[in-house]
Amino acid sequence: MSTTAQKGTVYLVGAGPGDPELLTLRALRLLESADVVFHDDLVTDEVLALVHRHALVTSVGKRCGRPRITQAGIHALMIESAKAGQSVVRLKSGDPLIFGRAGEELAALRAAGIAFEIVPGVTAALAAGAALALPLTDRKSASKLIFATGHHAEGKTSAPVWTGSLPEDATLVMYMPGRDTARIAEELRAAGVASDMPCAAISHAARPEQQVAACALQDLDELSCGPAPLMLMIGRAMAPLLDGEAVETLELPLREAFESLTDKR
Amino acid sequence: MSTTAQKGTVYLVGAGPGDPELLTLRALRLLESADVVFHDDLVTDEVLALVHRHALVTSVGKRCGRPRITQAGIHALMIESAKAGQSVVRLKSGDPLIFGRAGEELAALRAAGIAFEIVPGVTAALAAGAALALPLTDRKSASKLIFATGHHAEGKTSAPVWTGSLPEDATLVMYMPGRDTARIAEELRAAGVASDMPCAAISHAARPEQQVAACALQDLDELSCGPAPLMLMIGRAMAPLLDGEAVETLELPLREAFESLTDKR
């Protein structure tokens, strides 16, 4: 297998949380060598700036529920581009296999007989933990880490994010939780979560514009969350955000990193 | 913040699953510029080969329960090296905040007043999913992803990996599950998991020597797992491994990647 993007192949690539420094080397090489890039809305301009300047770059995002392109349309674009002999990167924020409809895209590629490769990435929860210096697991108090999402398939939008009992020693991360924190609080109470359980709302995780708001579950209804993209984290691992302990401010080396990368090209 | 490792600072860095191509750019830069690297046993030789040749590289792994160095000893090494004006990378396989005792190491660094930064990485579960082309979430059948571990703090080693009911639409990933699959199967049955639930044992995830064995829960007692490091994945997302559907064979560009990286130096 070559280190550059191959003609006729589709690469499902994780773009990570947005900072180009948190791309994998494999992702960088593919962005630098692909003919075509189809990306989600959340992929940042800094990451897209690394795409080869002769490549065709197209947003296929479906932001805010207003589809510009259907999922079937994305499949057709990838398949037709690959059949036309292009090397194709399908670029998804975070990790490509987490809450990203990769299953449907892989099924379409398989059905069309298109070669593909998946390049994992740094998912937003782990990047947020690193930016906040908050371990999401702890051998004494948080032995489980749970990723859930408020986004469901059509017809399931009213399904609760979590049902059943939630272990006391879990960190629950809700991707795209929506803004109805009162409903989420009710679901968590129904799952037996203690009223003093720390909850954090993280907007633009691991980005310079990151905002964090934290409270106990009993106050989650009233929590003022920042703008989307939003993530909720619930668990004892969030306690430092409530206790007023020092939490590292985010100071990612975005500008310098970007400059050093572009200098190389 | 500089793009190179700073004197007197400790960097907790995720090494990813072992393929150097799956390092982040930030991790690569820090390995290339650090004075001292303290790494876990699972960090691969290919990754360690990227460390600057003048750096001091020390394994602080505690493999197979035979401690070569205590956790307090690791803290002391990091702190003394940083106080001596060295730039220090603490290199952990996968992501540094997942099941890696990062909380204890951060607490020690904070107590000693040492500057630190955390660099997230690609955790083994996501790398395994990519290597197997198995989405770990699916909007219809797997809306939760749960990471758990069979390794616990002392005095808790007999605690079950999972208690309570496990959602039907979850993918459960057990890191370091141990080899007692009969006990794990019993725990899963107690958690209400269906006897036909697909289970997969993945040895050396996302490495060239990766081995995968799969069965339904009813046969988990008898599953022949490969050697450690081992990971168990349980959920409908593993169904393609049982159905005999094509699963991509792992063909990571290790050698070429490694050569291209070393050519650059």
Side-chain angles (χ1 to χ4, degrees), chain B residues 141-175:
Chain B
S141 62
S143 70
K144 286 108 189 164
L145 175 61
I146 304 174
F147 296 166
T149 179
H151 260 241
H152 295 280
E154 288 96 274
K156 290 181 67 181
T157 47
S158 64
V161 172
W162 188 265
T163 54
S165 64
L166 191 71
E168 165 72 18
D169 65 341
T171 304
L172 173 62
V173 179
M174 293 188 189
Y175 284 71

PDB file of all heavy atoms in Angstrom, chain B residues 141-175:
ATOM      1  N   SER B 141     -28.565   0.597  14.783  1.00  0.00           N
ATOM      2  CA  SER B 141     -28.395  -0.563  15.656  1.00  0.00           C
ATOM      3  C   SER B 141     -27.384  -0.384  16.790  1.00  0.00           C
ATOM      4  O   SER B 141     -27.321  -1.219  17.682  1.00  0.00           O
ATOM      5  CB  SER B 141     -27.966  -1.781  14.821  1.00  0.00           C
ATOM      6  OG  SER B 141     -26.721  -1.519  14.198  1.00  0.00           O
ATOM      7  N   ALA B 142     -26.591   0.666  16.762  1.00  0.00           N
ATOM      8  CA  ALA B 142     -25.557   0.810  17.798  1.00  0.00           C
ATOM      9  C   ALA B 142     -25.347   2.289  18.105  1.00  0.00           C
ATOM     10  O   ALA B 142     -24.430   2.918  17.608  1.00  0.00           O
ATOM     11  CB  ALA B 142     -24.248   0.161  17.348  1.00  0.00           C
ATOM     12  N   SER B 143     -26.220   2.830  18.963  1.00  0.00           N
ATOM     13  CA  SER B 143     -26.166   4.267  19.217  1.00  0.00           C
ATOM     14  C   SER B 143     -25.315   4.617  20.437  1.00  0.00           C
ATOM     15  O   SER B 143     -25.206   5.781  20.791  1.00  0.00           O
ATOM     16  CB  SER B 143     -27.577   4.828  19.385  1.00  0.00           C
ATOM     17  OG  SER B 143     -28.138   4.370  20.588  1.00  0.00           O
ATOM     18  N   LYS B 144     -24.738   3.600  21.091  1.00  0.00           N
ATOM     19  CA  LYS B 144     -23.824   3.843  22.213  1.00  0.00           C
ATOM     20  C   LYS B 144     -22.544   3.053  22.020  1.00  0.00           C
ATOM     21  O   LYS B 144     -22.580   1.924  21.547  1.00  0.00           O
ATOM     22  CB  LYS B 144     -24.433   3.395  23.545  1.00  0.00           C
ATOM     23  CG  LYS B 144     -25.514   4.283  24.087  1.00  0.00           C
ATOM     24  CD  LYS B 144     -26.840   3.621  23.952  1.00  0.00           C
ATOM     25  CE  LYS B 144     -27.966   4.606  24.304  1.00  0.00           C
ATOM     26  NZ  LYS B 144     -29.271   4.104  23.811  1.00  0.00           N
ATOM     27  N   LEU B 145     -21.459   3.644  22.441  1.00  0.00           N
ATOM     28  CA  LEU B 145     -20.171   2.962  22.418  1.00  0.00           C
ATOM     29  C   LEU B 145     -19.608   3.047  23.829  1.00  0.00           C
ATOM     30  O   LEU B 145     -19.483   4.136  24.385  1.00  0.00           O
ATOM     31  CB  LEU B 145     -19.239   3.652  21.409  1.00  0.00           C
ATOM     32  CG  LEU B 145     -17.801   3.145  21.350  1.00  0.00           C
ATOM     33  CD1 LEU B 145     -17.746   1.672  20.965  1.00  0.00           C
ATOM     34  CD2 LEU B 145     -16.997   3.976  20.345  1.00  0.00           C
ATOM     35  N   ILE B 146     -19.301   1.901  24.410  1.00  0.00           N
ATOM     36  CA  ILE B 146     -18.872   1.853  25.810  1.00  0.00           C
ATOM     37  C   ILE B 146     -17.474   1.262  25.899  1.00  0.00           C
ATOM     38  O   ILE B 146     -17.226   0.176  25.378  1.00  0.00           O
ATOM     39  CB  ILE B 146     -19.842   0.970  26.638  1.00  0.00           C
ATOM     40  CG1 ILE B 146     -21.272   1.489  26.496  1.00  0.00           C
ATOM     41  CG2 ILE B 146     -19.403   0.926  28.099  1.00  0.00           C
ATOM     42  CD1 ILE B 146     -22.308   0.596  27.149  1.00  0.00           C
ATOM     43  N   PHE B 147     -16.567   2.001  26.526  1.00  0.00           N
ATOM     44  CA  PHE B 147     -15.237   1.474  26.816  1.00  0.00           C
ATOM     45  C   PHE B 147     -15.195   1.071  28.278  1.00  0.00           C
ATOM     46  O   PHE B 147     -15.529   1.870  29.161  1.00  0.00           O
ATOM     47  CB  PHE B 147     -14.158   2.550  26.585  1.00  0.00           C
ATOM     48  CG  PHE B 147     -14.031   3.024  25.164  1.00  0.00           C
ATOM     49  CD1 PHE B 147     -13.312   4.184  24.881  1.00  0.00           C
ATOM     50  CD2 PHE B 147     -14.605   2.338  24.100  1.00  0.00           C
ATOM     51  CE1 PHE B 147     -13.171   4.640  23.574  1.00  0.00           C
ATOM     52  CE2 PHE B 147     -14.472   2.786  22.790  1.00  0.00           C
ATOM     53  CZ  PHE B 147     -13.751   3.938  22.526  1.00  0.00           C
ATOM     54  N   ALA B 148     -14.777  -0.153  28.531  1.00  0.00           N
ATOM     55  CA  ALA B 148     -14.607  -0.618  29.903  1.00  0.00           C
ATOM     56  C   ALA B 148     -13.278  -1.340  29.978  1.00  0.00           C
ATOM     57  O   ALA B 148     -12.627  -1.570  28.963  1.00  0.00           O
ATOM     58  CB  ALA B 148     -15.756  -1.543  30.298  1.00  0.00           C
ATOM     59  N   THR B 149     -12.872  -1.681  31.181  1.00  0.00           N
ATOM     60  CA  THR B 149     -11.596  -2.387  31.319  1.00  0.00           C
ATOM     61  C   THR B 149     -11.694  -3.474  32.367  1.00  0.00           C
ATOM     62  O   THR B 149     -12.458  -3.352  33.331  1.00  0.00           O
ATOM     63  CB  THR B 149     -10.446  -1.421  31.670  1.00  0.00           C
ATOM     64  OG1 THR B 149      -9.240  -2.181  31.822  1.00  0.00           O
ATOM     65  CG2 THR B 149     -10.715  -0.687  32.967  1.00  0.00           C
ATOM     66  N   GLY B 150     -10.931  -4.540  32.160  1.00  0.00           N
ATOM     67  CA  GLY B 150     -10.848  -5.607  33.148  1.00  0.00           C
ATOM     68  C   GLY B 150      -9.801  -5.320  34.204  1.00  0.00           C
ATOM     69  O   GLY B 150      -9.705  -6.020  35.196  1.00  0.00           O
ATOM     70  N   HIS B 151      -9.019  -4.257  33.986  1.00  0.00           N
ATOM     71  CA  HIS B 151      -7.999  -3.876  34.964  1.00  0.00           C
ATOM     72  C   HIS B 151      -8.585  -2.872  35.938  1.00  0.00           C
ATOM     73  O   HIS B 151      -9.138  -1.869  35.540  1.00  0.00           O
ATOM     74  CB  HIS B 151      -6.810  -3.223  34.252  1.00  0.00           C
ATOM     75  CG  HIS B 151      -5.666  -4.150  34.062  1.00  0.00           C
ATOM     76  ND1 HIS B 151      -4.430  -3.926  34.594  1.00  0.00           N
ATOM     77  CD2 HIS B 151      -5.582  -5.317  33.391  1.00  0.00           C
ATOM     78  CE1 HIS B 151      -3.620  -4.906  34.247  1.00  0.00           C
ATOM     79  NE2 HIS B 151      -4.288  -5.769  33.512  1.00  0.00           N
ATOM     80  N   HIS B 152      -8.448  -3.135  37.196  1.00  0.00           N
ATOM     81  CA  HIS B 152      -9.004  -2.237  38.194  1.00  0.00           C
ATOM     82  C   HIS B 152      -7.934  -1.841  39.204  1.00  0.00           C
ATOM     83  O   HIS B 152      -6.845  -2.406  39.222  1.00  0.00           O
ATOM     84  CB  HIS B 152     -10.160  -2.921  38.931  1.00  0.00           C
ATOM     85  CG  HIS B 152     -11.324  -3.208  38.063  1.00  0.00           C
ATOM     86  ND1 HIS B 152     -12.257  -2.270  37.726  1.00  0.00           N
ATOM     87  CD2 HIS B 152     -11.693  -4.344  37.416  1.00  0.00           C
ATOM     88  CE1 HIS B 152     -13.161  -2.813  36.938  1.00  0.00           C
ATOM     89  NE2 HIS B 152     -12.844  -4.063  36.727  1.00  0.00           N
ATOM     90  N   ALA B 153      -8.278  -0.901  40.045  1.00  0.00           N
ATOM     91  CA  ALA B 153      -7.386  -0.547  41.143  1.00  0.00           C
ATOM     92  C   ALA B 153      -7.265  -1.749  42.077  1.00  0.00           C
ATOM     93  O   ALA B 153      -8.126  -2.617  42.116  1.00  0.00           O
ATOM     94  CB  ALA B 153      -7.951   0.656  41.901  1.00  0.00           C
ATOM     95  N   GLU B 154      -6.184  -1.790  42.813  1.00  0.00           N
ATOM     96  CA  GLU B 154      -5.984  -2.898  43.738  1.00  0.00           C
ATOM     97  C   GLU B 154      -7.205  -3.040  44.654  1.00  0.00           C
ATOM     98  O   GLU B 154      -7.820  -2.053  45.043  1.00  0.00           O
ATOM     99  CB  GLU B 154      -4.748  -2.672  44.612  1.00  0.00           C
ATOM    100  CG  GLU B 154      -3.436  -2.810  43.886  1.00  0.00           C
ATOM    101  CD  GLU B 154      -2.900  -1.466  43.425  1.00  0.00           C
ATOM    102  OE1 GLU B 154      -3.293  -1.016  42.337  1.00  0.00           O
ATOM    103  OE2 GLU B 154      -2.124  -0.876  44.163  1.00  0.00           O
ATOM    104  N   GLY B 155      -7.523  -4.265  44.960  1.00  0.00           N
ATOM    105  CA  GLY B 155      -8.658  -4.514  45.838  1.00  0.00           C
ATOM    106  C   GLY B 155      -9.971  -4.586  45.087  1.00  0.00           C
ATOM    107  O   GLY B 155     -10.998  -4.929  45.647  1.00  0.00           O
ATOM    108  N   LYS B 156      -9.937  -4.256  43.774  1.00  0.00           N
ATOM    109  CA  LYS B 156     -11.167  -4.305  42.997  1.00  0.00           C
ATOM    110  C   LYS B 156     -11.040  -5.290  41.837  1.00  0.00           C
ATOM    111  O   LYS B 156     -11.842  -5.277  40.919  1.00  0.00           O
ATOM    112  CB  LYS B 156     -11.500  -2.922  42.441  1.00  0.00           C
ATOM    113  CG  LYS B 156     -11.938  -1.917  43.481  1.00  0.00           C
ATOM    114  CD  LYS B 156     -12.265  -0.569  42.852  1.00  0.00           C
ATOM    115  CE  LYS B 156     -13.486  -0.609  41.948  1.00  0.00           C
ATOM    116  NZ  LYS B 156     -13.769   0.690  41.331  1.00  0.00           N
ATOM    117  N   THR B 157     -10.009  -6.131  41.869  1.00  0.00           N
ATOM    118  CA  THR B 157      -9.754  -6.982  40.706  1.00  0.00           C
ATOM    119  C   THR B 157     -10.868  -7.978  40.445  1.00  0.00           C
ATOM    120  O   THR B 157     -10.981  -8.494  39.350  1.00  0.00           O
ATOM    121  CB  THR B 157      -8.432  -7.768  40.875  1.00  0.00           C
ATOM    122  OG1 THR B 157      -8.417  -8.329  42.179  1.00  0.00           O
ATOM    123  CG2 THR B 157      -7.240  -6.863  40.685  1.00  0.00           C
ATOM    124  N   SER B 158     -11.682  -8.263  41.472  1.00  0.00           N
ATOM    125  CA  SER B 158     -12.750  -9.224  41.241  1.00  0.00           C
ATOM    126  C   SER B 158     -14.050  -8.534  40.828  1.00  0.00           C
ATOM    127  O   SER B 158     -15.067  -9.171  40.634  1.00  0.00           O
ATOM    128  CB  SER B 158     -12.982 -10.067  42.495  1.00  0.00           C
ATOM    129  OG  SER B 158     -13.430  -9.236  43.541  1.00  0.00           O
ATOM    130  N   ALA B 159     -14.007  -7.214  40.692  1.00  0.00           N
ATOM    131  CA  ALA B 159     -15.213  -6.494  40.283  1.00  0.00           C
ATOM    132  C   ALA B 159     -15.558  -6.856  38.842  1.00  0.00           C
ATOM    133  O   ALA B 159     -14.682  -7.002  38.008  1.00  0.00           O
ATOM    134  CB  ALA B 159     -14.988  -4.982  40.401  1.00  0.00           C
ATOM    135  N   PRO B 160     -16.840  -7.019  38.535  1.00  0.00           N
ATOM    136  CA  PRO B 160     -17.210  -7.323  37.155  1.00  0.00           C
ATOM    137  C   PRO B 160     -16.918  -6.128  36.238  1.00  0.00           C
ATOM    138  O   PRO B 160     -16.913  -4.979  36.681  1.00  0.00           O
ATOM    139  CB  PRO B 160     -18.711  -7.593  37.240  1.00  0.00           C
ATOM    140  CG  PRO B 160     -19.159  -6.959  38.500  1.00  0.00           C
ATOM    141  CD  PRO B 160     -17.988  -6.927  39.423  1.00  0.00           C
ATOM    142  N   VAL B 161     -16.646  -6.452  34.968  1.00  0.00           N
ATOM    143  CA  VAL B 161     -16.381  -5.378  34.011  1.00  0.00           C
ATOM    144  C   VAL B 161     -17.637  -4.538  33.804  1.00  0.00           C
ATOM    145  O   VAL B 161     -17.577  -3.328  33.659  1.00  0.00           O
ATOM    146  CB  VAL B 161     -15.904  -5.983  32.671  1.00  0.00           C
ATOM    147  CG1 VAL B 161     -15.800  -4.914  31.607  1.00  0.00           C
ATOM    148  CG2 VAL B 161     -14.547  -6.642  32.863  1.00  0.00           C
ATOM    149  N   TRP B 162     -18.794  -5.192  33.815  1.00  0.00           N
ATOM    150  CA  TRP B 162     -20.033  -4.453  33.618  1.00  0.00           C
ATOM    151  C   TRP B 162     -21.079  -4.957  34.599  1.00  0.00           C
ATOM    152  O   TRP B 162     -21.201  -6.156  34.825  1.00  0.00           O
ATOM    153  CB  TRP B 162     -20.556  -4.620  32.182  1.00  0.00           C
ATOM    154  CG  TRP B 162     -21.724  -3.715  31.922  1.00  0.00           C
ATOM    155  CD1 TRP B 162     -23.048  -4.025  32.024  1.00  0.00           C
ATOM    156  CD2 TRP B 162     -21.660  -2.335  31.593  1.00  0.00           C
ATOM    157  NE1 TRP B 162     -23.805  -2.917  31.769  1.00  0.00           N
ATOM    158  CE2 TRP B 162     -22.992  -1.872  31.497  1.00  0.00           C
ATOM    159  CE3 TRP B 162     -20.606  -1.440  31.366  1.00  0.00           C
ATOM    160  CZ2 TRP B 162     -23.287  -0.546  31.179  1.00  0.00           C
ATOM    161  CZ3 TRP B 162     -20.917  -0.128  31.050  1.00  0.00           C
ATOM    162  CH2 TRP B 162     -22.238   0.301  30.954  1.00  0.00           C
ATOM    163  N   THR B 163     -21.791  -4.041  35.219  1.00  0.00           N
ATOM    164  CA  THR B 163     -22.908  -4.429  36.077  1.00  0.00           C
ATOM    165  C   THR B 163     -24.145  -3.702  35.592  1.00  0.00           C
ATOM    166  O   THR B 163     -24.040  -2.716  34.864  1.00  0.00           O
ATOM    167  CB  THR B 163     -22.653  -4.056  37.548  1.00  0.00           C
ATOM    168  OG1 THR B 163     -22.338  -2.666  37.605  1.00  0.00           O
ATOM    169  CG2 THR B 163     -21.508  -4.868  38.128  1.00  0.00           C
ATOM    170  N   GLY B 164     -25.304  -4.154  36.006  1.00  0.00           N
ATOM    171  CA  GLY B 164     -26.540  -3.540  35.547  1.00  0.00           C
ATOM    172  C   GLY B 164     -26.863  -4.009  34.147  1.00  0.00           C
ATOM    173  O   GLY B 164     -26.181  -4.858  33.584  1.00  0.00           O
ATOM    174  N   SER B 165     -27.905  -3.430  33.574  1.00  0.00           N
ATOM    175  CA  SER B 165     -28.331  -3.876  32.254  1.00  0.00           C
ATOM    176  C   SER B 165     -27.525  -3.155  31.179  1.00  0.00           C
ATOM    177  O   SER B 165     -27.210  -1.986  31.299  1.00  0.00           O
ATOM    178  CB  SER B 165     -29.825  -3.605  32.067  1.00  0.00           C
ATOM    179  OG  SER B 165     -30.070  -2.216  32.109  1.00  0.00           O
ATOM    180  N   LEU B 166     -27.192  -3.916  30.153  1.00  0.00           N
ATOM    181  CA  LEU B 166     -26.449  -3.335  29.039  1.00  0.00           C
ATOM    182  C   LEU B 166     -27.447  -3.030  27.925  1.00  0.00           C
ATOM    183  O   LEU B 166     -28.211  -3.902  27.534  1.00  0.00           O
ATOM    184  CB  LEU B 166     -25.400  -4.337  28.554  1.00  0.00           C
ATOM    185  CG  LEU B 166     -24.374  -3.800  27.570  1.00  0.00           C
ATOM    186  CD1 LEU B 166     -23.411  -2.846  28.266  1.00  0.00           C
ATOM    187  CD2 LEU B 166     -23.597  -4.953  26.938  1.00  0.00           C
ATOM    188  N   PRO B 167     -27.444  -1.793  27.395  1.00  0.00           N
ATOM    189  CA  PRO B 167     -28.409  -1.487  26.327  1.00  0.00           C
ATOM    190  C   PRO B 167     -28.199  -2.404  25.123  1.00  0.00           C
ATOM    191  O   PRO B 167     -27.072  -2.724  24.763  1.00  0.00           O
ATOM    192  CB  PRO B 167     -28.088  -0.024  25.971  1.00  0.00           C
ATOM    193  CG  PRO B 167     -27.368   0.525  27.155  1.00  0.00           C
ATOM    194  CD  PRO B 167     -26.623  -0.634  27.741  1.00  0.00           C
ATOM    195  N   GLU B 168     -29.306  -2.809  24.517  1.00  0.00           N
ATOM    196  CA  GLU B 168     -29.255  -3.687  23.340  1.00  0.00           C
ATOM    197  C   GLU B 168     -28.503  -3.007  22.189  1.00  0.00           C
ATOM    198  O   GLU B 168     -27.849  -3.669  21.397  1.00  0.00           O
ATOM    199  CB  GLU B 168     -30.691  -4.036  22.914  1.00  0.00           C
ATOM    200  CG  GLU B 168     -30.858  -4.640  21.526  1.00  0.00           C
ATOM    201  CD  GLU B 168     -30.360  -6.087  21.416  1.00  0.00           C
ATOM    202  OE1 GLU B 168     -30.192  -6.747  22.454  1.00  0.00           O
ATOM    203  OE2 GLU B 168     -30.140  -6.547  20.273  1.00  0.00           O
ATOM    204  N   ASP B 169     -28.601  -1.684  22.123  1.00  0.00           N
ATOM    205  CA  ASP B 169     -28.011  -0.972  20.976  1.00  0.00           C
ATOM    206  C   ASP B 169     -26.652  -0.371  21.324  1.00  0.00           C
ATOM    207  O   ASP B 169     -26.312   0.716  20.879  1.00  0.00           O
ATOM    208  CB  ASP B 169     -28.960   0.106  20.461  1.00  0.00           C
ATOM    209  CG  ASP B 169     -29.192   1.201  21.487  1.00  0.00           C
ATOM    210  OD1 ASP B 169     -28.930   0.949  22.695  1.00  0.00           O
ATOM    211  OD2 ASP B 169     -29.625   2.301  21.097  1.00  0.00           O
ATOM    212  N   ALA B 170     -25.872  -1.087  22.136  1.00  0.00           N
ATOM    213  CA  ALA B 170     -24.539  -0.604  22.509  1.00  0.00           C
ATOM    214  C   ALA B 170     -23.460  -1.487  21.906  1.00  0.00           C
ATOM    215  O   ALA B 170     -23.677  -2.680  21.672  1.00  0.00           O
ATOM    216  CB  ALA B 170     -24.393  -0.598  24.033  1.00  0.00           C
ATOM    217  N   THR B 171     -22.320  -0.881  21.642  1.00  0.00           N
ATOM    218  CA  THR B 171     -21.104  -1.641  21.364  1.00  0.00           C
ATOM    219  C   THR B 171     -20.240  -1.516  22.606  1.00  0.00           C
ATOM    220  O   THR B 171     -19.885  -0.410  23.005  1.00  0.00           O
ATOM    221  CB  THR B 171     -20.351  -1.072  20.148  1.00  0.00           C
ATOM    222  OG1 THR B 171     -21.226  -1.054  19.020  1.00  0.00           O
ATOM    223  CG2 THR B 171     -19.119  -1.921  19.833  1.00  0.00           C
ATOM    224  N   LEU B 172     -19.945  -2.646  23.237  1.00  0.00           N
ATOM    225  CA  LEU B 172     -19.123  -2.648  24.447  1.00  0.00           C
ATOM    226  C   LEU B 172     -17.714  -3.094  24.090  1.00  0.00           C
ATOM    227  O   LEU B 172     -17.522  -4.169  23.515  1.00  0.00           O
ATOM    228  CB  LEU B 172     -19.731  -3.605  25.490  1.00  0.00           C
ATOM    229  CG  LEU B 172     -18.904  -3.864  26.758  1.00  0.00           C
ATOM    230  CD1 LEU B 172     -18.680  -2.576  27.547  1.00  0.00           C
ATOM    231  CD2 LEU B 172     -19.596  -4.908  27.641  1.00  0.00           C
ATOM    232  N   VAL B 173     -16.748  -2.246  24.390  1.00  0.00           N
ATOM    233  CA  VAL B 173     -15.345  -2.577  24.143  1.00  0.00           C
ATOM    234  C   VAL B 173     -14.671  -2.777  25.488  1.00  0.00           C
ATOM    235  O   VAL B 173     -14.688  -1.875  26.329  1.00  0.00           O
ATOM    236  CB  VAL B 173     -14.625  -1.446  23.379  1.00  0.00           C
ATOM    237  CG1 VAL B 173     -13.160  -1.807  23.160  1.00  0.00           C
ATOM    238  CG2 VAL B 173     -15.318  -1.165  22.047  1.00  0.00           C
ATOM    239  N   MET B 174     -14.104  -3.952  25.707  1.00  0.00           N
ATOM    240  CA  MET B 174     -13.351  -4.208  26.939  1.00  0.00           C
ATOM    241  C   MET B 174     -11.868  -4.179  26.619  1.00  0.00           C
ATOM    242  O   MET B 174     -11.371  -5.019  25.871  1.00  0.00           O
ATOM    243  CB  MET B 174     -13.701  -5.582  27.508  1.00  0.00           C
ATOM    244  CG  MET B 174     -15.112  -5.707  28.007  1.00  0.00           C
ATOM    245  SD  MET B 174     -15.295  -7.314  28.861  1.00  0.00           S
ATOM    246  CE  MET B 174     -17.075  -7.323  29.089  1.00  0.00           C
ATOM    247  N   TYR B 175     -11.183  -3.195  27.193  1.00  0.00           N
ATOM    248  CA  TYR B 175      -9.735  -3.137  27.103  1.00  0.00           C
ATOM    249  C   TYR B 175      -9.170  -4.080  28.168  1.00  0.00           C
ATOM    250  O   TYR B 175      -9.674  -4.135  29.287  1.00  0.00           O
ATOM    251  CB  TYR B 175      -9.233  -1.722  27.388  1.00  0.00           C
ATOM    252  CG  TYR B 175      -9.424  -0.721  26.260  1.00  0.00           C
ATOM    253  CD1 TYR B 175     -10.684  -0.242  25.920  1.00  0.00           C
ATOM    254  CD2 TYR B 175      -8.325  -0.241  25.540  1.00  0.00           C
ATOM    255  CE1 TYR B 175     -10.847   0.682  24.904  1.00  0.00           C
ATOM    256  CE2 TYR B 175      -8.481   0.687  24.519  1.00  0.00           C
ATOM    257  CZ  TYR B 175      -9.743   1.150  24.206  1.00  0.00           C
ATOM    258  OH  TYR B 175      -9.906   2.060  23.190  1.00  0.00           O
TER     259      TYR B 175
END
